[in-house]
Amino acid sequence: MKEIPQAYLQPCDQPGRLEELEIPGFENAVVYLPAGYDRSEERYSTFYLMHGGGGDPHSFFSADGLLKNQLDHMIASGEMAPLIVIAPTYYPPGRKGDGIAYSAEAVRDFGPVLLQTILPIVDGKYRTIPERYHRGMGGFSMGAVATWYVVMAGTEEFYWFMPMSGDCWICGELGGGQHSAQTAGLLAVTLRGKTFFLHALTGDKDIAYPNLDPQMKAMKEYADVFGKNVKYSVLPGGVHDYPDIRRYIYNALPEFFSPGSADSGES
Ligand code: FER
């Protein structure tokens, strides 16, 4: 897995910008608009990026500017086509500190909110390409758990998925580890015949590795559903924190929204 170039941590001379977007019943989402958005008539792909447990929309787009700088540089260098990144939250106001059992409910309930409420708001306000081939979703930890719910329910709306350091909880908390065969089986029956691309990433020192790794291995048993359209990458030494997650985004996001990726899933 490539390292993020040091220069990408610094501000870029072709910066995009961040703004807030109101979502009924939730704190504002943070939206990243790429350089040139305000001067063009272009339409852009959208990527929905979900924070980890206890976090909020500013967890990824924090005051340190690191993810924003990274995205600016990835686009300015031509590594990645310009895109819009939306960072919503799955917590209703005041509930982000309510612990893991509540988080499990919040991410489950968030799937329908994203599909039915947030997508139309985003597509109504921004110049998006409102088609599933131009929509992706990813997230860290509980944000990955949220992503797996949308993998199950949202392939009409989404084609590209990037769960990072978090497993699928459709069979219960930490279900990817505790019930790997059942989880993989449910994913397989749900996704058989659907077209999508999924890249799961984690580190072998990550607390979620014992949950995600058996799930990904169990999924590989269903080669007709999870073939070259599913990639799984493990960073040696990678841990459960935002710096390694930014590295996963650096490696995986440029594969999205591009015709070559869907059938080139070497890991
Ligand atoms: C995992 C998925 C999510 C995991 C932890 C989480 C330990 C989230 C934890 C938290 O928000 O506290 O596989 O493994």
Side-chain angles (χ1 to χ4, degrees):
M1 214 182 287
K2 288 182 292 177
E3 270 186 64
I4 303 169
Q6 280 296 317
Y8 286 19
L9 308 181
Q10 303 303 321
C12 177
D13 60 8
Q14 292 163 259
R17 65 181 176 88
L18 301 177
E19 65 173 38
E20 301 220 348
L21 175 66
E22 275 182 45
I23 309 289
F26 294 85
E27 261 175 59
N28 292 348
V30 173
V31 177
Y32 169 85
L33 297 169
Y37 180 88
D38 297 308
R39 296 183 307 276
S40 82
E41 308 269 287
E42 232 180 289
R43 291 186 165 271
Y44 299 86
S45 300
T46 47
F47 183 65
Y48 292 79
L49 179 60
M50 308 309 302
H51 60 78
D56 61 46
H58 294 278
S59 298
F60 272 113
F61 290 113
S62 54
D64 67 20
L66 289 175
L67 181 65
K68 180 184 177 290
N69 292 345
Q70 175 184 326
L71 294 171
D72 286 345
H73 281 285
M74 289 167 72
I75 293 167
S77 68
E79 278 172 82
M80 176 172 79
L83 83 175
I84 299 172
V85 179
I86 304 98
T89 183
Y90 37 79
Y91 292 122
R95 308 242 24 205
K96 70 179 178 184
D98 287 0
I100 191 154
Y102 177 69
S103 292
E105 279 178 45
V107 294
R108 184 199 60 209
D109 295 347
F110 179 72
V113 173
L114 178 64
L115 298 173
Q116 290 156 34
T117 306
I118 300 182
L119 294 191
I121 292 175
V122 168
D123 290 332
K125 168 144 191 201
Y126 299 105
R127 294 191 317 277
T128 65
I129 307 172
E131 296 162 7
R132 74 183 201 108
Y133 194 77
H134 290 278
R135 269 200 210 107
M137 178 180 185
F140 164 44
S141 189
M142 288 311 303
V145 180
T147 303
W148 285 110
Y149 279 110
V150 177
V151 171
M152 295 283 296
T155 46
E156 302 261 310
E157 290 87 356
F158 285 88
Y159 187 95
W160 309 91
F161 298 101
M162 194 193 300
M164 297 175 283
S165 298
D167 55 316
C168 178
W169 289 13
I170 198 87
C171 296
E173 269 183 42
L174 308 177
Q178 315 249 317
H179 312 286
S180 11
Q182 295 93 318
T183 303
L186 260 175
L187 283 162
V189 290
T190 307
L191 294 166
R192 183 167 282 122
K194 307 246 158 84
T195 56
F196 61 95
F197 180 86
L198 183 147
H199 192 165
L201 306 97
T202 190
D204 64 5
K205 296 286 184 289
D206 191 304
I207 55 161
Y209 176 77
N211 309 315
L212 183 58
D213 192 66
Q215 177 194 323
M216 296 310 298
K217 288 184 173 136
M219 285 168 64
K220 282 291 177 190
E221 302 287 313
Y222 298 88
D224 63 320
V225 189
F226 308 121
K228 289 189 167 176
N229 58 325
V230 173
K231 276 178 81 165
Y232 173 47
S233 301
V234 177
L235 175 66
V239 299
H240 203 71
D241 206 356
Y242 285 93
D244 285 330
I245 299 297
R246 285 196 302 272
R247 181 160 170 185
Y248 305 156
I249 293 171
Y250 174 61
N251 280 270
L253 193 52
E255 301 167 335
F256 282 22
F257 318 118
S258 87
S261 302
D263 49 25
S264 70
E266 246 73 274
S267 47

